[in-house]
Amino acid sequence: MISWRRLDETDFPLLRQWLRQPHVARWWHHETSPEAVARDFGPAARGEEPSEDLLMLLDGEPFGLVQRYRFADYAEDLRELAHQAEIPQEAMSVDYLIGDPQRIGQGLGTRMIQEVVRATWTDHPDATTVLVPVHVGNRASWRILEKAGLRRVADVSLEPDNPIDDRAHYLYRIDRPEL
């Protein structure tokens, strides 16, 4: 059973371990010092930032993280993408990782995205769309999105998370189901 709760500051040591894992570090390229993790994840954990950092649980045990947010709350990201693709006003997005290396390759990424997208329609009644940009080189990530029911709608040029990458990204989309 997959469930989640808001990430809190007591989870930061686990998050630091995950961010150091080679399969995560390659695509997240994040500083892992205690200060950096507190700086970058603390505001959301304390409710001072509009994103939702969700600690993903499998049968109660942490295995991953999903950051869910409205594009409109992050003007720089919205600006970079808006001239390349249609971004509905209430569009949401997610960033995600499976931190536990023993949990990759088991279909949990697909299930995690399906569950969070499904919950988004309830948790955010104004949300009409979930859009997810993913680097073209991150095949495992964009395959998760495809298996979760998102469809590729554009090739876009975005600042990469890791400076070794070029700007080539795919944009994936899923719309709120009709009633």
Side-chain angles (χ1 to χ4, degrees), residues 100-167:
D100 181 347
Q102 301 301 315
R103 297 292 188 180
I104 59 176
Q106 299 176 7
L108 289 175
T110 299
R111 290 176 49 205
M112 171 175 79
I113 296 302
Q114 288 171 326
E115 294 294 327
V116 169
V117 166
R118 189 175 304 119
T120 297
W121 309 135
T122 302
D123 298 347
H124 298 275
D126 294 337
T128 58
T129 305
V130 174
L131 296 169
V132 184
V134 61
H135 193 273
V136 299
N138 194 346
R139 187 180 198 292
S141 185
W142 51 262
R143 288 293 296 142
I144 285 170
L145 295 172
E146 291 172 352
K147 290 176 185 176
L150 284 80
R151 68 188 189 289
R152 189 182 306 174
V153 295
D155 293 352
V156 294
S157 175
L158 301 172
E159 189 66 35
D161 289 331
N162 191 327
I164 68 169
D165 292 320
D166 61 19
R167 295 181 57 89

Side-chain angles (χ1 to χ4, degrees), residues 29-105:
H29 192 70
H30 199 283
E31 288 181 57
T32 60
S33 70
E35 299 79 18
V37 170
R39 175 194 68 223
D40 295 340
F41 294 90
R46 293 187 301 272
E48 300 166 0
E49 187 174 324
S51 74
E52 302 166 290
D53 289 356
L54 308 172
L55 186 70
M56 303 305 294
L57 309 167
L58 178 64
D59 298 328
E61 293 297 319
F63 74 91
L65 176 76
V66 172
Q67 294 178 309
R68 182 170 61 177
Y69 57 93
R70 286 177 355 113
F71 265 108
D73 291 333
Y74 295 89
E76 185 176 319
D77 294 341
L78 179 61
R79 255 191 318 275
E80 187 178 25
L81 191 55
H83 72 280
Q84 301 179 69
E86 175 198 356
I87 311 296
Q89 185 164 348
E90 296 300 325
M92 302 285 295
S93 191
V94 293
D95 293 323
Y96 48 92
L97 63 86
I98 294 177
D100 181 347
Q102 301 301 315
R103 297 292 188 180
I104 59 176

